[in-house]
C-alpha cells in the first residue's frame, strides 16, 4: 500500500510519482490528509491537489509538471501531492472540499460549475471562444478577472486556467455530418441544457450523457451521432463504432486550478510567488500542448480508419449562424454579468 512518504517525492523522481499517484487508495489519501493537518513548522508545506483526470490525459501531465516545478523552485519547501482520477474526491466534490479546507487545491472543468456560476459557460458558447488568438489573450484579461472573482465569491481562489480543447468532433456511422441540414432528425450526444439549444436549432435531438457512456450508446444505436473533443474521440475509441468525423471549432473547454484562500494567504510571500509562477507557466504551456494533442488525435483517428472532414471557415460560419444565436440569448439571460462578460470576451 502506498504510504505518505511515497507521495513526498523530489522533482527528480517525478516520473515515478506519476505511476504511484495512479495507485493511491482512499486509505492512503486519508493518511495523507492527517499528515497534512498535523505538520509542524519544520515540515514542508503540503499542497494536495485533487482532480478527475486519468494519468494519460495531457492536462493531468501538465499538473504533474506544475507539481515538479513547485517542488523544485521551492527547494522542497512545498510538498505537492497529487490525487488524480477521483482518488480523493469525485469531480463534483472538489469545490466544497477546497472551500472547506479539506484539501488545499483541485482542478475542475468549467462544465462542472453548472448553474452555480453561469458565467463559466462562456467558453462553451458555439463558435464564440474558439479562435486561438482569443484564447491566447484570455490569461490576465478583464474577462479572466471577472471569472476569478466569481470563483472567489464561491470560496476558492483560482490560480490558473488550463486550455483543454477548441476542436470538437461530430461523429457518425451512416453518413458524414458536414452541412447543417445533415443534423435534422439525428439523435446526438448532448452536453448541457445551454449548448444543446444550438443542436436543437440545427434540427438534432440531443441526449445529454457523460463521456464514459457515449461509446456504448453509439454501439447500441441509442444515439446516432457523437459529440466530444477530438482527443477524447481517440482515447475512447470512437473509431471502432463510427465511420465519419467532422472536426469543428464548436466550443472550448478549460480545466482550472484553484486553491483554498486561507491556505494560499498563509503562505510565506516567497512560496506564494513560487506557486503563482508555476501556475502561470503551466497556464501558458497548456496552449501549445493542447493544440498539438488535437493535431495528433486527428491524425490518429485517420490512421484508425475514420474518414475525417475538417470544417472550412465558410462551413463553420454557416453552423455559427444557426447554432450560436439561441445559445447566446440563453446565456445572456442566465446571469446579470453574462452580457458584460460577452462584451469583455469580444474585446479580446
Amino acid at each position: 500500500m502506498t504510504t505518505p512518504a511515497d507521495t513526498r517525492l523530489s522533482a527528480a523522481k517525478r516520473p515515478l510519482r506519476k505511476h504511484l499517484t495512479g495507485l493511491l487508495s482512499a486509505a492512503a489519501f486519508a493518511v495523507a490528509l492527517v499528515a497534512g493537518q498535523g505538520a509542524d513548522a519544520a515540515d514542508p508545506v503540503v499542497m494536495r491537489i485533487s482532480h478527475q483526470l486519468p494519468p494519460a490525459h495531457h492536462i493531468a501531465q501538465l499538473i504533474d509538471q506544475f507539481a515538479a516545478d513547485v517542488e523544485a523552485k521551492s527547494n522542497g519547501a512545498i510538498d505537492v501531492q497529487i490525487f488524480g482520477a477521483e482518488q480523493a474526491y469525485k469531480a463534483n466534490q472538489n469545490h466544497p472540499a477546497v472551500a472547506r479546507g479539506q484539501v488545499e487545491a483541485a482542478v475542475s472543468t468549467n462544465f462542472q460549475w453548472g448553474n452555480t456560476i453561469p458565467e463559466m459557460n462562456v467558453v462553451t458558447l458555439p463558435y464564440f471562444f474558439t479562435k486561438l488568438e482569443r484564447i491566447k489573450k484570455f490569461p490576465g484579461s478583464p474577462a479572466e478577472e471577472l471569472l476569478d472573482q466569481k470563483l472567489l465569491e464561491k470560496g476558492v481562489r483560482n490560480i490558473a486556467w488550463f486550455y483543454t480543447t477548441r476542436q470538437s468532433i461530430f461523429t457518425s456511422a451512416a453518413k458524414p455530418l458536414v452541412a447543417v441540414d445533415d443534423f435534422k432528425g439525428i439523435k446526438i450526444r448532448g452536453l448541457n441544457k445551454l449548448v444543446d439549444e444550438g443542436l436543437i436549432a440545427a434540427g438534432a435531438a440531443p441526449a445529454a450523457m457523460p463521456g464514459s457512456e457515449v461509446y456504448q450508446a453509439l454501439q447500441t444505436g441509442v444515439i446516432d451521432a457523437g459529440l466530444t473533443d477530438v482527443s477524447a474521440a481517440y482515447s475512447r475509441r470512437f473509431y471502432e463504432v463510427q465511420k465519419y468525423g467532422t472536426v469543428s471549432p464548436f466550443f472550448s473547454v478549460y480545466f482550472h486550478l484553484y486553491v483554498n484562500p486561507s491556505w494560499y494567504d498563509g503562505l510565506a510571500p516567497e512560496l506564494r510567488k513560487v506557486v503563482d509562477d508555476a501556475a502561470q507557466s503551466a497556464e501558458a504551456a497548456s496552449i501549445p500542448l493542447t493544440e498539438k494533442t488535437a493535431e495528433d488525435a486527428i491524425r490518429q483517428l485517420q490512421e484508425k480508419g475514420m474518414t475525417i472532414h475538417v470544417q472550412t471557415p465558410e462551413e463553420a460560419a454557416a453552423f455559427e449562424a444557426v447554432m450560436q444565436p439561441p445559445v447566446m440569448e440563453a446565456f445572456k439571460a442566465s446571469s446579470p454579468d453574462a452580457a458584460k462578460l460577452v462584451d469583455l470576451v469580444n474585446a479580446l
Side-chain angles (χ1 to χ4, degrees):
M1 179 168 141
T2 306
T3 68
D6 290 326
T7 65
R8 289 196 284 269
L9 300 175
S10 68
K13 297 180 180 178
R14 180 68 56 187
L16 179 59
R17 174 210 287 276
K18 291 183 182 180
H19 298 288
L20 291 174
T21 53
L23 301 174
L24 284 170
S25 65
F29 174 72
V31 172
L33 180 65
V34 173
Q37 292 175 338
D40 60 37
D43 291 328
V45 173
V46 174
M47 182 183 189
R48 292 157 298 179
I49 304 175
S50 173
H51 68 76
Q52 71 198 63
L53 296 164
H57 195 284
H58 69 285
I59 299 299
Q61 294 171 0
L62 191 70
I63 297 166
D64 285 336
Q65 185 58 54
F66 164 82
D69 289 347
V70 169
E71 290 190 344
K73 293 175 182 177
S74 71
N75 293 318
I78 301 177
D79 172 20
V80 185
Q81 302 172 5
I82 299 174
F83 298 87
E86 298 189 327
Q87 295 169 88
Y89 295 100
K90 298 294 184 183
N92 62 358
Q93 297 173 328
N94 281 324
H95 163 230
V98 174
R100 294 168 185 162
Q102 294 168 321
V103 67
E104 290 77 28
V107 178
S108 297
T109 178
N110 64 284
F111 278 119
Q112 286 161 350
W113 292 94
N115 295 325
T116 305
I117 305 178
E119 295 86 355
M120 293 288 276
N121 289 314
V122 70
V123 300
T124 61
L125 299 177
Y127 302 95
F128 181 65
F129 208 102
T130 53
K131 293 182 175 63
L132 188 56
E133 286 308 307
R134 179 164 285 178
I135 288 166
K136 289 179 178 179
K137 292 177 181 178
F138 176 63
S141 69
E144 183 204 2
E145 291 172 1
L146 189 153
L147 292 176
D148 286 349
Q149 181 59 39
K150 294 292 180 181
L151 289 161
L152 190 58
E153 290 170 3
K154 296 301 179 183
V156 297
R157 181 181 295 279
N158 199 69
I159 62 172
W161 292 91
F162 299 146
Y163 159 58
T164 304
T165 183
R166 67 183 180 105
Q167 297 280 33
S168 303
I169 184 169
F170 299 105
T171 68
S172 54
K175 64 175 184 178
L177 303 176
V178 177
V180 175
D181 286 347
D182 293 332
F183 285 77
K184 290 182 178 178
I186 294 292
K187 293 180 292 183
I188 190 169
R189 183 259 179 122
L191 294 174
N192 58 35
K193 185 177 180 180
L194 184 69
V195 176
D196 289 356
E197 291 288 341
L199 297 171
I200 292 169
M209 64 182 66
S212 59
E213 297 178 9
V214 177
Y215 180 97
Q216 185 175 8
L218 291 169
Q219 186 179 43
T220 58
V222 172
I223 55 176
D224 306 311
L227 169 58
T228 190
D229 162 51
V230 289
S231 302
Y234 178 73
S235 64
R236 295 186 185 277
R237 308 190 315 278
F238 278 24
Y239 51 82
E240 295 179 351
V241 292
Q242 300 278 269
K243 172 64 177 174
Y244 304 101
T246 295
V247 178
S248 168
F250 187 43
F251 60 82
S252 292
V253 173
Y254 277 78
F255 277 86
H256 63 108
L257 172 62
Y258 52 94
V259 298
N260 177 273
S262 296
W263 174 84
Y264 178 86
D265 293 341
L267 290 174
E270 62 273 17
L271 295 185
R272 196 179 310 131
K273 185 177 187 303
V274 165
V275 172
D276 288 343
D277 289 349
Q280 290 175 15
S281 177
E283 186 176 71
S286 71
I287 297 176
L289 175 62
T290 288
E291 289 294 294
K292 183 180 185 304
T293 300
E295 291 174 6
D296 290 346
I298 292 170
R299 174 181 50 78
Q300 290 163 339
L301 288 170
Q302 290 172 322
E303 290 173 351
K304 290 295 185 178
M306 280 192 79
T307 300
I308 299 295
H309 173 73
V310 179
Q311 274 189 344
T312 65
E314 293 76 18
E315 289 168 343
F319 274 56
E320 177 182 338
V322 173
M323 295 182 173
Q324 188 185 98
V327 182
M328 183 67 76
E329 181 181 0
F331 175 72
K332 288 182 177 180
S334 69
S335 158
D337 285 330
K340 175 184 177 182
L341 183 56
V342 168
D343 290 340
L344 292 175
V345 172
N346 274 325
L348 295 177

